[in-house]
């Protein structure tokens, strides 16, 4: 990719983000402006902002990368991400807005009148937010590396600085306008190149069905293997090798690789002839974060699919950066209308990443060997079109990718900073909110510099699993079941969310290497979500005396229109 075009595109996106955020700063006057934009954001603007922050690195880069590597089974990701909003619309959106809260811990305390449950919910918000922020920073690093060859930490640092400045300066007012602008930028940045790529594909004589047969090299291709990888061959093939294969050094001669597993050393160059089937990276032997979930899919594909579906369907409602946006709606009806518009906006967007994934299987299949599958969206325009047109389209896509990192990271930082300010720092004023913003970004930035890259869609999927196991039971039972008690809610969040967190930590560490236990830990939602619900119900039934005295009044406020109950939202002093 020509950095003479891509770098200015990214710079323009960053500059536009700062300028749009500055507009929000001009009208931020109170603490309520900083936390929830004084609850005055209309459905269309709010829906665009929600879509902007929700369509993250996983959506922009990760889905196409997973489709490239593992085929059409990965289309469950966009289906699940979209369907999660339907569940949120039916069960949560309007009552959550009527709760009058700022954050999920606010909701927990309003419903259960328990500071302990509030603190526990706050800890989980911070954990989920940091887990979700990590792939945004890593995705930014990957993008900048592909564009310029810069160190893979630089992109994450740039995103962190811009997000901290935007959020700390204007709070929710600023990021509302930023995220709405970035949704339309991201949609355009994928749609326009996709149209040109589809025309190029139609006129190229390439196969019509990307998933009908295993991918093959459509022209002679040299693949640079930067880190050790194991290749599994179903049949013998020939390649020109410069480097180490199975412990033997080669200097550019033709080598026939027999069927089976071959160990390719780092720094090796493999040249494959036209028509050669693309070798398969052996995901059960390479180990590490980058292959752990893929191995689980290969070993237990049906279990992995159902685990993914449950995590994405139910995890959306508990994502802290999504939930906090519903508090900005003027009333419950506006929250519902916002959700309907969001379904349309994100549904339109999710038609595009699978197109890039399918075309990548035809035009960039070697990315499955190099570990750069998440870069397929960035590299495809040059592979298919080339020349000035490919450079310009690639720059357009790169700008959209950076918009994805910035918008999602802004929402997550806002949500985590709000919890830190209200539940950790000694004051809830704007000054301490800005300190909370720095703390909210510091931990995931440090982790992105220290930890290797998990495929971005997989990392986000793990965050969904933790959210579905902890906040989904709290919200559903807290809104619809009057017998929920503080001990029940706390126990459910600890067992459901805590067990999912442990499973996520073990998975990201690359353990265990395989087998049934590995699949259970890699896709925990199928057992951790029921565990969270069941624990809350059983412990609540065992502690009936702990039901808060004003439960009936609180639930009435959740479910009745504001005209009947009075709007209990907080008013705040000027910032």
């Amino acid at each position: 990719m020509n950095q003479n075009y891509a770098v200015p595109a990214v710079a323009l996106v960053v500059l536009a983000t700062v300028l749009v955020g500055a507009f929000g700063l001009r009208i931020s006057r109170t603490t309520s402006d900083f936390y929830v934009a004084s609850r005055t954001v209309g459905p269309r603007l709010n829906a665009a902002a929600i879509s902007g922050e929700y369509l993250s690195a996983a959506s922009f880069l990760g889905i196409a990368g997973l489709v490239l590597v593992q085929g059409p089974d990965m289309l469950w990701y966009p289906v699940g991400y979209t369907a999660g909003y339907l569940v949120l619309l039916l069960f949560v959106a309007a009552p959550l807005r009527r709760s009058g809260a700022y954050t999920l811990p606010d909701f927990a305390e309003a419903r259960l009148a328990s500071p302990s449950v509030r603190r526990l919910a706050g800890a989980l918000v911070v954990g989920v937010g940091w887990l979700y922020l990590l792939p945004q920073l890593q995705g930014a690093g990957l993008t900048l590396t592909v564009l310029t060859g810069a160190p893979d930490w630089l992109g994450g640092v740039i995103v962190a600085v811009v997000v901290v400045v935007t959020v700390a300066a204007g709070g929710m007012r600023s990021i509302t306008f930023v995220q709405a602008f970035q949704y339309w930028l991201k949609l355009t940045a994928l749609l326009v190149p996709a149209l040109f790529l589809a025309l190029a594909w139609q006129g190229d004589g390439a196969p019509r069905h990307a998933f009908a047969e295993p991918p093959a090299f459509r022209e002679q291709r040299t693949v640079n293997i930067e880190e050790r990888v194991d290749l599994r061959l179903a049949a013998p093939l020939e390649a020109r090798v410069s480097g180490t294969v199975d412990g033997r050094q080669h200097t550019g001669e033709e080598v026939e690789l027999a069927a089976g597993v071959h160990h390719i050393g780092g720094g090796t160059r493999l040249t494959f002839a036209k028509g050669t089937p693309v070798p398969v990276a052996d995901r059960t032997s390479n180990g590490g974060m980058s292959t752990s979930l893929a191995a689980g899919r290969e070993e237990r594909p049906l279990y992995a699919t159902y685990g993914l579906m449950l995590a994405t369907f139910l995890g959306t409602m508990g994502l802290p950066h999504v939930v906090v946006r519903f508090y900005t709606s003027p009333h419950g009806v506006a929250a519902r209308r916002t959700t309907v518009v969001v379904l349309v906006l994100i549904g339109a967007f999710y038609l595009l990443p699978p197109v890039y994934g399918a075309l990548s299987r035809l035009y960039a299949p070697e990315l499955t060997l190099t570990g750069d599958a998440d870069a397929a969206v960035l590299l495809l325009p040059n592979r298919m079109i080339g020349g000035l047109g490919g450079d310009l389209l690639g720059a357009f896509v790169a700008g959209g990718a950076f918009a994805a990192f910035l918008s999602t990271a802004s929402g997550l930082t806002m949500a985590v900073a709000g919890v830190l300010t209200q539940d950790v720092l000694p004051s809830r004023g704007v000054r301490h909110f800005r300190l909370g913003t720095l703390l909210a970004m510091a931990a995931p930035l440090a982790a992105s510099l220290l930890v290797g890259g998990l495929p971005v869609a997989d990392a986000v999927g793990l965050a969904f699993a933790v959210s579905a196991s902890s906040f989904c039971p709290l919200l559903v039972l807290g809104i619809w079941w009057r017998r929920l008690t503080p001990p029940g809610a706390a126990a459910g969040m600890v067992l459901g969310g805590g067990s999912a967190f442990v499973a996520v930590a073990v998975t990201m560490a690359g353990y265990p290497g395989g087998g049934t236990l590995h699949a259970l830990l890699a896709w925990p939602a199928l057992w951790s979500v029921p565990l969270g619900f069941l624990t809350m119900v059983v412990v609540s039934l065992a502690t009936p005396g702990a039901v808060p005295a004003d439960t009936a009044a609180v639930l009435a406020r959740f479910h009745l229109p504001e005209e009947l109950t009075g709007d209990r939202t907080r008013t705040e002093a000027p910032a």
Side-chain angles (χ1 to χ4, degrees):
M1 181 179 293
N2 191 334
Q3 66 181 25
N4 293 330
Y5 298 100
V7 172
V10 171
L12 284 175
V13 169
V14 173
L15 178 61
T17 297
V18 174
L19 292 177
V20 175
F23 173 76
L25 171 62
R26 293 178 59 189
I27 56 177
S28 290
R29 293 291 180 267
T30 68
T31 305
S32 182
D33 282 333
F34 272 80
Y35 283 120
V36 289
S38 292
R39 307 184 196 274
T40 57
V41 184
R44 285 180 293 182
L45 177 60
N46 209 13
I50 290 173
S51 302
E53 71 177 356
Y54 188 65
L55 298 172
S56 63
S59 300
F60 203 94
L61 301 180
I63 291 174
L66 288 177
V67 170
L68 163 63
V69 175
Q70 298 180 61
D73 288 348
M74 297 301 97
L75 296 179
W76 279 114
Y77 270 98
V79 171
Y81 289 156
T82 306
Y85 274 95
L86 181 60
V87 179
L88 194 152
L89 169 66
L90 294 175
F91 297 107
V92 173
L96 192 62
R97 165 58 187 90
R98 295 186 184 117
S99 70
Y102 279 157
T103 62
L104 273 170
D106 269 350
F107 169 84
E109 187 174 32
R111 171 63 178 86
L112 298 167
S114 171
S116 298
V117 174
R118 178 194 179 96
R119 287 191 292 270
L120 178 59
L124 285 169
V125 164
V126 173
V128 172
W130 283 347
L131 185 62
Y132 210 136
L133 267 168
L134 179 59
Q136 312 310 314
L137 301 177
Q138 291 181 334
L142 169 67
T143 299
L144 204 62
T145 299
V146 170
L147 296 180
T148 68
D152 55 10
W153 54 265
L154 183 59
V157 171
I158 293 174
V159 166
V161 171
V162 173
V163 166
V164 168
V165 170
T166 303
V167 174
M172 185 63 78
R173 284 286 189 192
S174 287
I175 69 169
T176 294
F177 295 111
V178 167
Q179 291 167 340
F181 157 74
Q182 287 172 337
Y183 167 76
W184 295 108
L185 174 62
K186 286 184 282 189
L187 180 65
T188 307
L190 278 191
L191 178 60
V192 172
L195 295 176
F196 284 95
L197 296 179
L199 291 175
W201 169 62
Q202 287 290 329
D204 189 42
R208 301 295 93 184
H209 304 289
F211 303 116
E213 57 188 20
F217 295 104
R218 302 184 63 248
E219 59 185 18
Q220 179 175 300
R221 178 73 67 186
T222 298
V223 181
N224 295 315
I225 307 297
E226 296 183 0
E227 297 182 0
R228 176 186 177 275
V229 66
D230 294 346
L231 301 183
R232 187 194 310 134
L233 305 182
L237 62 78
E238 290 187 354
R240 184 179 298 115
V241 180
S242 296
T244 305
V245 175
D246 296 329
R248 297 181 59 186
Q249 187 70 28
H250 300 274
T251 56
E253 66 267 24
E254 290 284 342
V255 176
E256 181 172 349
L257 302 176
V261 176
H262 296 273
H263 310 291
I264 313 299
T268 299
R269 298 178 64 204
L270 303 175
T271 301
F272 299 95
K274 177 180 178 180
T276 303
V278 179
V280 177
D282 188 349
R283 304 184 186 283
T284 61
S285 61
N286 291 337
M289 292 170 57
S290 62
T291 59
S292 184
L293 293 186
R297 289 193 194 98
E298 293 175 359
E299 295 170 353
R300 300 290 187 275
L302 187 61
Y303 176 85
T305 298
Y306 283 126
L308 167 64
M309 291 169 57
L310 191 63
T312 53
F313 283 18
L314 300 182
T316 300
M317 71 175 66
L319 295 177
H321 63 304
V322 170
V323 170
V324 74
R325 289 230 60 99
F326 286 95
Y327 300 140
T328 67
S329 295
H331 42 70
V333 173
R336 282 203 179 99
R337 289 174 180 168
T338 297
T339 312
V340 173
V341 180
V342 169
L343 281 167
V344 176
L345 295 181
I346 65 175
F349 181 91
Y350 278 132
L351 295 174
L352 299 173
V355 173
Y356 284 82
L359 291 176
S360 297
R361 289 174 66 86
L362 300 176
Y363 293 93
E366 74 280 359
L367 296 179
T368 62
L369 305 181
T370 62
D372 295 327
D374 285 332
V377 171
L378 302 170
L379 299 174
L380 200 57
N382 266 301
R383 292 291 175 85
M384 293 185 63
I385 297 175
L388 178 61
D391 289 337
L392 292 176
L393 291 175
F396 202 12
V397 173
F402 244 75
F405 311 138
L406 290 168
S407 58
T408 301
S410 296
L412 289 164
T413 303
M414 179 74 212
V416 174
V419 170
L420 292 175
T421 304
Q422 295 195 56
D423 297 306
V424 177
L425 299 177
S427 172
R428 298 184 179 185
V430 172
R431 181 183 302 174
H432 286 83
F433 171 80
R434 288 169 173 156
L435 176 59
T437 301
L438 290 172
L439 296 176
M441 182 58 74
L445 179 60
S448 71
L449 300 177
L450 297 175
V451 179
L454 186 68
V456 290
D458 279 338
V460 169
L462 295 175
F464 270 76
V466 176
S467 170
S469 305
S470 53
F471 292 125
C472 174
L474 174 68
L475 288 168
V476 171
L477 295 178
I479 290 171
W480 297 100
W481 191 46
R482 66 177 59 247
R483 300 176 68 179
L484 181 67
T485 66
M493 284 193 291
V494 168
L495 287 182
S499 61
F501 254 125
V502 171
V504 165
V506 172
T507 299
M508 294 182 73
Y511 299 102
T516 301
L517 179 59
H518 169 74
L520 289 172
L521 295 175
W523 304 97
L526 274 183
W527 53 267
S528 60
V529 172
L531 178 62
F533 272 101
L534 183 62
T535 302
M536 284 193 187
V537 170
V538 170
V539 176
S540 293
L541 292 177
T543 56
V547 175
D550 63 344
T551 294
V554 171
L555 291 180
R557 187 167 85 249
F558 288 178
H559 294 285
L560 294 176
E562 285 84 352
E563 308 86 64
L564 299 179
T565 62
D567 189 357
R568 293 192 178 184
T569 56
R570 302 182 220 173
T571 58
E572 299 292 339

